């Protein structure tokens, strides 16, 4: 049986047409699910009994199970169990501009980036759209607040789960759904070129962030095995095309790893690589994990790197550090939980 939270408007309308009903019923169901937030089909009181019965026999409304939550100063991290026992994480961050939620898109990840905790668990399966939607709804319910921004930066590679991810975006962006503006949704990818190409034709103004982490192929291939399949030279061509076609500004994420990618040489190389592109660089202080040898760059190095980019007229920001005390780097809460910490 399908979970109703995974139905985008198109799919739900098709469903109603198929069972011989008017398609506007889909809007009514959306209002109950996402505006009134009822938890049973029986509460959908303006829908006729026979239609409710069809819904009940074709869909579940099952939720995820919240296993633990860890609260920090301006961050809260959630560990959810899925129906099959797999575990995923979401991280809520309180900003001055609103509340943003970082959600997972897969159980594990196959990309094998050497600095990343999520990648230590190989992909077990993709998340279904409903499992992404419910991370948002359940955190909102748990904290009695509204999430204004969603980033797909938890466990998993979103573009290795493209169809479910775009179905998820359809649902949360729909004005009768969660109604998050497309510009308040950010998808982060390690650089899966064929899917970036497909995404150029996706009709919503969703933000795209590219995990770059190195300005040349030699270093990037060491950090991110995906770079061997989709090297920088090809990636940059596609990204320039993406900017031209969509008129959207790209974000590049750059984790600052001590003595690995944080020298003056790399800063200059990065400035050169991105020169003239409509983009900005988000420098990320590395969140050290107990399993991985990398260390975070010193504040001093981070500032030097930042200054070089600025001087070379690259738009750049340094990400505020969140929740290193609550295992907030993606994958850390899950792996610590499994090890009984
Ligand atoms: N797979 C996608 C999205 C999930 S990872 C991607 O790689 O873009 C989201 C971001 O978190 C990526 O930029 C990733 O490089 C970064 N990240 C992974 N481990 C981290 C850590 N320990 N500290 C800081 N950022 C980390
Ligand atoms: Fe996967 Fe992203 Fe982690 Fe790389 S950084 S292993 S792509 S989750």
């Amino acid at each position: 049986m399908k979970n109703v939270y995974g139905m985008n408007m198109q799919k739900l309308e098709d469903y109603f047409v198929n069972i011989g009903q008017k398609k506007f019923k889909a809007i009514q169901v959306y209002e109950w699910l996402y505006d009134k937030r009822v938890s049973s089909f029986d509460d959908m009181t303006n829908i006729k009994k026979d239609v409710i019965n069809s819904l009940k026999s074709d869909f579940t409304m099952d939720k995820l199970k919240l296993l633990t939550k860890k609260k920090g100063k301006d961050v809260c991290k959630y560990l959810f169990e899925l129906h099959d026992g797999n575990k995923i994480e979401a991280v809520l961050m309180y900003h001055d501009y609103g509340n943003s939620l970082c959600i997972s898109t897969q159980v594990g990840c196959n990309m094998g980036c050497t600095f990343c905790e999520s990648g230590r668990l190989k992909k077990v399966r993709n998340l279904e759209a409903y499992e992404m939607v419910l991370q948002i709804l359940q955190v909102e319910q748990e904290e009695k607040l509204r999430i204004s921004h969603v980033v797909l930066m938890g466990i998993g590679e979103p573009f290795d789960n493209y169809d479910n991810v775009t179905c998820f975006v359809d649902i949360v962006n729909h004005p009768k759904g969660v109604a998050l503006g497309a510009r308040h949704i950010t998808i982060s990818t390690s650089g899966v070129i064929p899917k970036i190409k497909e995404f150029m034709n996706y009709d919503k103004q969703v933000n795209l962030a590219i995990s770059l982490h190195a300005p040349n192929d030699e270093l990037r291939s060491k950090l991110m095995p995906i770079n061997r399949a989709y090297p920088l030279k090809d990636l940059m061509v596609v990204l320039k095309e993406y900017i031209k076609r969509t008129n959207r500004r790209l974000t590049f994420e750059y984790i600052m790893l001590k003595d690995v990618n944080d020298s003056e040489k790399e800063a200059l190389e990065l400035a050169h690589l991105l020169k003239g592109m409509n983009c900005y660089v988000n420098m990320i202080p590395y969140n050290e994990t107990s399993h991985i040898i990398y260390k975070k760059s010193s504040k001093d190095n981070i500032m030097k790197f930042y200054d070089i980019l600025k001087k070379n007229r690259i738009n750049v920001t340094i990400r505020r550090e969140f929740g290193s005390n609550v295992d907030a780097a993606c994958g850390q809460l899950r792996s610590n939980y499994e090890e009984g910490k």
Side-chain angles (χ1 to χ4, degrees):
M1 232 196 308
K2 285 193 173 142
N3 189 304
V4 73
Y5 293 106
M7 300 294 281
N8 64 15
M9 188 53 81
Q10 184 69 52
K11 288 180 186 171
L12 200 54
E13 284 178 350
D14 291 349
Y15 166 79
F16 280 116
V17 171
N18 272 331
I19 63 165
Q21 294 289 335
K22 292 269 175 351
K23 65 180 190 182
F24 76 85
K25 291 252 170 7
I27 299 226
Q28 292 183 322
V29 169
Y30 257 45
E31 281 167 349
W32 288 111
L33 293 179
Y34 301 111
D35 184 24
K36 303 190 185 73
R37 307 262 169 130
V38 297
S39 52
S40 120
F41 289 115
D42 288 320
D43 294 338
M44 303 183 174
T45 49
N46 65 350
I47 298 176
K48 284 204 192 77
K49 200 79 201 130
D50 58 323
V51 180
I52 294 287
N53 285 338
S54 314
L55 284 166
K56 277 171 149 175
S57 63
D58 293 321
F59 298 105
T60 74
M61 287 181 75
D62 292 347
K63 299 283 174 73
L64 315 177
K65 186 171 157 197
L66 180 57
L67 285 180
T68 59
K69 114 177 177 183
K70 249 182 156 180
K71 236 181 158 64
K73 188 161 82 43
D74 43 16
V75 59
C76 190
K77 183 137 184 170
Y78 306 84
L79 185 70
F80 288 108
E81 185 173 84
L82 310 175
H83 67 85
D84 57 3
N86 281 305
K87 297 175 187 65
I88 51 145
E89 307 174 4
V91 184
L92 174 66
M93 287 159 284
Y94 303 96
H95 300 273
D96 42 12
Y97 58 78
N99 304 313
S100 84
L101 189 71
C102 171
I103 66 161
S104 294
T105 57
Q106 297 181 310
V107 178
C109 179
N110 271 347
M111 301 301 149
C113 304
T114 53
F115 49 80
C116 177
E117 192 67 29
S118 303
R120 291 203 318 129
L121 175 71
K122 284 279 150 264
K123 177 172 91 177
V124 177
R125 67 171 174 87
N126 286 329
L127 292 196
E128 302 290 332
Y130 81 86
E131 293 170 315
M132 295 181 251
V133 173
L134 285 174
Q135 292 173 60
I136 302 177
L137 298 186
Q138 291 185 231
V139 168
E140 289 192 331
Q141 190 184 26
E142 174 74 18
E143 305 301 338
K144 300 185 179 54
L145 49 71
R146 279 298 151 100
I147 284 159
S148 59
H149 293 72
V150 170
V151 297
L152 282 66
M153 292 187 188
I155 303 172
E157 167 48 56
F159 280 178
D160 185 34
N161 184 16
Y162 188 87
D163 293 347
N164 292 338
V165 161
T166 46
C167 178
F168 156 81
V169 174
D170 292 344
I171 297 165
V172 295
N173 176 241
H174 196 282
K176 294 280 181 191
V178 185
L180 271 176
R183 286 190 182 82
H184 287 198
I185 303 169
T186 301
I187 299 180
S188 173
T189 178
S190 54
V192 184
I193 287 181
K195 294 299 164 187
I196 297 173
K197 285 185 180 161
E198 203 171 328
F199 191 62
M200 283 182 213
N201 299 316
Y202 186 60
D203 60 355
K204 300 188 172 65
Q205 297 280 316
V206 176
N207 302 312
L208 186 62
I210 305 291
S211 292
L212 197 63
H213 308 327
N216 62 63
D217 277 319
E218 196 193 342
L219 182 55
R220 194 163 189 269
S221 293
K222 277 191 201 145
L223 299 175
M224 306 176 70
I226 187 177
N227 193 65
R228 290 176 213 140
Y230 303 119
L232 271 182
K233 177 168 61 65
D234 302 343
L235 182 61
M236 296 313 285
V237 171
V238 173
L239 294 178
K240 282 175 183 158
E241 169 78 15
Y242 172 91
I243 293 170
K244 206 164 105 193
R245 289 263 293 277
T246 62
N247 245 321
R248 291 178 225 160
R249 186 162 80 155
L250 262 186
T251 303
F252 286 102
E253 293 160 277
Y254 197 99
I255 297 186
M256 293 295 287
L257 301 166
K258 184 176 164 44
D259 299 333
V260 174
N261 65 353
D262 65 344
S263 75
E264 204 169 303
K265 171 182 168 280
E266 276 103 23
L268 285 168
E269 236 179 320
L270 182 62
H272 183 71
L273 183 73
L274 304 183
K275 201 172 162 185
M277 280 174 92
N278 180 21
C279 70
Y280 86 95
V281 175
N282 195 359
M283 291 171 53
I284 309 174
Y286 183 57
N287 220 319
E288 292 176 9
T289 95
S290 49
H291 305 100
I292 297 172
I293 45 148
Y294 295 113
K295 297 283 168 217
K296 61 169 169 191
S297 305
S298 65
K299 291 239 154 61
D300 225 37
N301 262 23
I302 293 181
M303 282 324 295
K304 269 190 200 139
F305 202 95
Y306 175 88
D307 286 339
I308 293 174
L309 293 181
K310 274 265 164 201
K311 246 184 232 135
N312 286 275
R313 280 183 298 199
I314 302 289
N315 299 309
V316 55
T317 52
I318 302 174
R319 184 180 294 172
R320 212 171 107 206
E321 267 182 281
F322 278 102
S324 34
N325 58 338
V326 292
D327 306 327
C330 63
Q332 280 182 42
L333 188 63
R334 185 203 56 76
S335 72
N336 285 348
Y337 185 88
E338 309 260 297
E339 287 160 17
K341 287 187 193 163

